[in-house]
Amino acid sequence: MKTAKRIVLNHCCGVIIDVQEFFLNQLDANLRSTVETNTMGFAHMLGYLEIPVLATVERPLKEKGAIPKTIQKYLNGNDASEIFEKDFFDLTKHKEITGYLRSLKKKQLLLAGCETDVCVLQSCLGLIDLGYEIYVIEDLLFSSTRNVSAAVERMKGAGATFVSLKTLYYELLEAVDTSPQRKKIVEKFGLFPKEL
């Protein structure tokens, strides 16, 4: 039986998969707001903790759209973030993406995005095959399909560990942090996360 390892601040990288207008528009207004707020909080947290972020957008961008500006603002504010366009559902099928990941020398990946049962699932399996430890942020997943339990079970069966955004935040923080920056994050986005 696989045991979950501790997530270590300087061993991890965030991966935000295809959080684009086309996919967000398939959600009802409340769910969309929650997903955007939680993903914005995730990107903000990673920037604050100086954790690199890889984000993907699925082509064609003319149809699928960009990452919302509310989220992109925090990606752009993180010097260690990169956005890649992709054609394959599995991001590991793109050499420039896997090359970027290798260059970071991080073994733990924090996955978020959509669609849970397509791009997240296939990317998760591909990344596990490449030897990465995968931590899927359960409150940062969404799909046009409501029942994604089979995809979640496949990811868990392959060795991915599911964590909440709140748990991840405090595990990375490790101790009480009273800095103004942390207070700003918590006040702006609430105690992670908004409920889905």
Side-chain angles (χ1 to χ4, degrees), residues 35-97:
V35 166
E36 277 193 71
T37 299
N38 288 347
T39 306
M40 188 174 21
F42 180 59
H44 192 182
M45 176 185 75
L46 296 177
Y48 167 60
L49 295 172
E50 299 178 350
I51 295 171
V53 182
L54 179 155
T56 65
V57 287
E58 189 174 279
R59 292 186 189 120
L61 296 185
K62 187 174 180 180
E63 292 174 22
K64 306 280 175 79
I67 297 170
K69 290 179 182 173
T70 53
I71 298 166
Q72 207 163 51
K73 169 184 168 183
Y74 292 103
L75 293 173
N76 294 341
N78 181 343
D79 292 337
S81 76
E82 292 287 337
I83 299 174
F84 292 90
E85 294 180 16
K86 67 181 185 63
D87 298 307
F88 291 98
F89 302 128
D90 176 358
L91 63 80
T92 68
K93 302 288 186 191
H94 293 271
K95 290 180 182 176
E96 66 275 13
I97 295 175

Side-chain angles (χ1 to χ4, degrees), residues 116 120-121 124-125 128 136 151-160 162:
T116 308
V120 174
L121 170 64
C124 176
L125 297 176
I128 288 170
V136 181
V152 169
E153 288 307 310
R154 281 188 70 194
M155 286 187 273
K156 288 180 179 178
F162 277 62

Side-chain angles (χ1 to χ4, degrees), residues 110-175:
L110 314 171
L111 262 60
C114 79
E115 289 200 302
T116 308
D117 48 343
V118 184
C119 294
V120 174
L121 170 64
Q122 291 185 38
S123 295
C124 176
L125 297 176
L127 291 164
I128 288 170
D129 285 346
L130 292 178
Y132 290 99
E133 292 174 29
I134 303 300
Y135 298 86
V136 181
I137 318 307
E138 62 190 358
D139 20 34
L140 295 179
L141 298 179
F142 65 100
S143 179
S144 58
T145 303
R146 287 288 179 219
N147 185 355
V148 294
S149 58
V152 169
E153 288 307 310
R154 281 188 70 194
M155 286 187 273
K156 288 180 179 178
T161 300
F162 277 62
V163 298
S164 71
L165 184 55
K166 178 183 174 185
T167 297
L168 171 68
Y169 177 67
Y170 286 103
E171 188 167 345
L172 291 172
L173 205 57
E174 293 184 332

